[in-house]
Amino acid sequence: MTTHLVLSDDTVLLLGRFADTLDTQRPDAEMRDEIRLARALVLAEQLHGPTEKAFAAEQDLLAAAPRVRHGITRGEYAALLRLIARGVSA
């Protein structure tokens, strides 16, 4: 059974921005979990500045963006993020 995440508007926005970044910067390169962690922080702080609201947005984004599977490309991960933003779950 899959638990459906209720995504905030901020999380949906950040998932889209994350996906856009991956699609425009080396989409055929391998995705790594370190990139997921770093981009979540950067994107949240770009949206809210270095605030508690940014910390909460980062945590929500990390909860929505699954850990990276070995061998997935940045472009494939971007497509996955877009599906999650639209409410599609496995």
Side-chain angles (χ1 to χ4, degrees), residues 27-85:
D28 295 326
E30 185 175 354
M31 180 63 182
R32 297 187 343 257
D33 206 55
E34 296 86 356
I35 295 167
R36 179 182 75 96
L37 297 171
R39 291 305 304 163
L41 172 62
V42 169
L43 290 167
E45 287 196 350
Q46 284 175 343
L47 184 62
H48 295 295
T51 63
E52 288 299 316
K53 193 166 183 177
F55 176 77
E58 175 194 11
Q59 296 307 302
D60 290 346
L61 179 55
L62 289 173
R67 291 187 60 88
V68 176
R69 289 180 289 125
H70 178 72
I72 192 170
T73 68
R74 292 164 60 100
E76 292 166 338
Y77 192 77
L80 176 61
L81 294 179
R82 287 194 175 91
L83 287 173
I84 291 167

